[in-house]
């Protein structure tokens, strides 16, 4: 049965930003509720080795790290709810969030930590063959391409990491990039170029993906040389798209200030949005750093700012009682 809940700090999103905000809010005795959404753990659940999260001398697994953060949040007093916020009203306090399961949350403060999602190329054939040889997650789907020839599209850290990871499964990995240099970190590039299973096609944009009907699967990729304009078809058995991310902010359109790319705008040196009492942390507001550790740091900031806000404004119940 649908229930109404009153909460001082409602956290939307279960990634490093959300769980860290929850840990800090719970330890400030604010009894936060965290709605963890469709992909608990966020983007780190679709990575393997994490070597750059401080505190671990050896690489840890992304899903394990997120389980630990979640457990830590619960252990210090967070209520984690598996549901999806489908409507939100920031026009008055307490803010009102409605979940897919029907439950309603009346919140003194809201911390938005909904993260970002993989971007797609938006070329003919991509949608047709999604899940039929076309994927945006090598760690999820790489296993299905054992002994095959796959392509990875993109030139950033994600593309290079995915290409290296895929060499564990595939016979050959072709990285396809639209320019003549990668933006990935040098250490990753060195690993990529050293790997005998990897080759790179430079200066090539994807025009379309082609496939067969029975059984349905992708069979080739058509590329346009960005220097000469020449178009060619490359036979391929799998395509991994790794071209960046889009912030998950559809829910907040028209409610909160977003920039031209859809990221939430926050005040300088703060996680506070244009709505007093609503904070944003992690990839949903950060298109520059996008690291688990920076997201976690912002989650901490958001919880501290929410705590300060509640201390300064008092809780809605208290102000109603005083009226
Ligand atoms: P990035 O935005 O860094 O890179 C996206 C890549 O995709 C770029 O090379 C870009 O090309 C290319 N691209 C974008 N749109 C298209 C398109 N339509 N067609 C073809 N190519 C396209 O995204 P990432 O996901 O790689 O990384 C995001 C952030 O996360 C970064 O800050 C990164 O450092 C970080 N990250 C860190 C990791 C780590 O530290 N281990 C692991 C993974 C990510 P172009 O270069 O021409 O713009």
């Amino acid at each position: 049965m649908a229930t109404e809940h009153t909460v001082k700090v409602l956290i939307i999103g279960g990634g490093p930003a959300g769980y860290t905000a929850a840990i800090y809010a719970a330890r400030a005795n604010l009894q936060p509720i965290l709605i963890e959404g469709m992909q608990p753990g966020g983007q780190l659940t679709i990575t393997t080795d994490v070597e750059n999260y401080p505190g671990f001398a050896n690489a840890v697994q992304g899903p394990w790290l997120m389980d630990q953060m979640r457990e830590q949040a619960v252990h210090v007093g967070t209520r984690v709810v598996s549901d999806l916020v489908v409507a939100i009203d920031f026009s008055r306090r307490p803010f009102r969030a409605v979940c897919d399961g029907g439950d309603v949350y009346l919140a003194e403060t809201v911390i938005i930590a909904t993260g970002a999602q993989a971007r797609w190329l938006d070329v003919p054939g991509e949608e047709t063959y999604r899940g039929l040889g076309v994927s945006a997650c090598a760690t999820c789907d790489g296993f299905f391409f054992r002994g095959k020839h796959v392509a990875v599209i993109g030139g950033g850290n994600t593309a290079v990491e995915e290409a290296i990871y895929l060499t564990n499964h595939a016979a050959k990995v072709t990285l396809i990039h639209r320019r003549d240099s990668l933006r990935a970190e040098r250490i990753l590039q060195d690993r990529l170029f050293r790997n005998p299973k990897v080759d790179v096609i430079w200066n090539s944009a994807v025009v379309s993906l082609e496939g067969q009907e029975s059984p349905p699967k992708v069979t080739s990729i058509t590329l346009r040389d960005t220097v000469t304009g020449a178009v060619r078809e490359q036979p391929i058995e799998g395509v991994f798209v790794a071209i960046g991310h889009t912030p998950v902010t559809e829910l907040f359109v028209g409610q909160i200030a977003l920039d031209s790319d859809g990221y939430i705008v926050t005040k300088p040196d703060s996680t506070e949005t244009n709505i007093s009492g609503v904070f944003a942390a992690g990839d949903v507001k950060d298109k520059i750093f996008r690291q688990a550790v920076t997201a976690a740091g912002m989650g901490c900031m958001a919880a501290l700012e929410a705590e300060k806000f509640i201390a300064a404004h008092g809780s809605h119940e208290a102000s109603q009682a005083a009226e």
Side-chain angles (χ1 to χ4, degrees):
M1 205 182 70
T3 318
E4 198 170 90
H5 311 264
T6 301
V7 57
K8 291 195 179 89
V9 182
L10 181 70
I11 300 163
I12 309 175
Y19 291 140
T20 307
I23 291 163
Y24 275 78
R27 295 195 75 253
N29 206 19
L30 294 171
Q31 294 112 24
I33 293 179
L34 183 149
I35 315 280
E36 65 183 356
M38 298 286 279
Q39 194 188 357
Q43 293 176 69
L44 272 195
T45 55
I46 54 170
T47 46
T48 47
D49 285 358
V50 178
E51 290 179 339
N52 53 10
Y53 199 85
F56 305 98
N58 298 311
V60 294
Q61 297 297 298
W64 177 85
L65 182 59
M66 296 320 301
D67 278 349
Q68 291 294 306
M69 282 194 206
R70 187 183 190 278
E71 270 186 44
Q72 189 178 357
V74 170
H75 178 72
V76 292
T78 306
R79 189 147 82 77
V80 176
V81 178
S82 291
D83 209 338
L84 191 67
V85 178
V86 290
I88 196 127
D89 183 1
F90 287 143
S91 63
R92 71 178 70 92
R93 275 180 72 223
F95 307 117
R96 190 169 189 274
V98 183
C99 278
D100 196 34
D103 281 14
V104 173
Y105 295 84
L106 299 175
E108 298 301 329
T109 61
V110 174
I111 297 176
I112 302 171
T114 45
Q117 273 176 353
R119 278 212 330 246
W120 294 93
L121 290 161
D122 203 17
V123 295
E126 182 181 53
E127 192 154 354
T128 314
Y129 297 107
R130 216 185 274 180
L132 300 169
V134 178
S135 166
C137 177
T139 47
C140 315
D141 300 327
F143 181 78
F144 304 114
F145 296 86
R146 189 165 292 276
K148 300 203 163 146
H149 180 194
V150 300
V152 176
I153 318 299
N157 277 348
T158 304
V160 171
E161 280 193 346
E162 298 223 326
I164 295 167
Y165 172 76
L166 284 165
T167 60
N168 295 325
H169 300 289
K172 185 176 172 191
V173 178
T174 300
L175 186 84
I176 298 170
H177 185 38
R178 62 185 179 183
R179 294 188 296 120
D180 64 358
S181 64
L182 303 175
R183 70 169 65 227
E185 287 166 22
R186 180 57 61 182
I187 186 172
L188 290 174
Q189 292 195 31
D190 290 347
R191 269 182 221 164
L192 181 86
F193 296 139
R194 269 204 312 269
N195 195 309
K197 282 187 173 179
V198 174
D199 68 352
V200 182
I201 298 179
W202 300 105
N203 297 319
S204 292
V206 179
V207 176
S208 59
L209 304 177
E210 294 77 31
Q212 64 179 40
E213 271 182 30
S214 182
K217 62 175 181 181
V218 73
T219 53
S220 70
I221 183 164
T222 299
L223 303 174
R224 181 178 46 80
D225 190 306
T226 53
V227 179
T228 66
V231 173
R232 69 169 168 132
E233 197 173 323
Q234 163 83 48
I236 208 79
E237 294 169 285
V239 177
F240 289 85
V241 178
I243 60 165
H245 296 86
T246 309
V248 180
T249 50
E250 309 94 86
L251 189 62
F252 312 110
V253 173
Q255 298 254 6
I256 210 164
L258 306 176
D259 72 8
S260 55
D261 296 321
Y263 288 83
I264 295 177
V265 178
T266 53
K267 293 176 182 164
D269 297 328
S270 168
T271 61
E272 193 168 37
T273 66
N274 65 316
I275 311 275
S276 207
V278 179
F279 306 88
D283 287 14
V284 74
K285 65 135 283 179
D286 168 34
K287 59 177 132 180
I288 298 169
F289 303 107
R290 295 186 286 203
Q291 301 299 300
V293 67
T294 51
M298 281 182 258
C300 162
M301 286 168 65
L304 296 177
E305 289 188 285
E307 183 187 0
K308 218 166 149 188
F309 178 90
I310 290 166
H313 293 78
S315 84
H316 182 75
E317 285 160 58
S319 56
Q320 272 190 331
E323 276 167 13

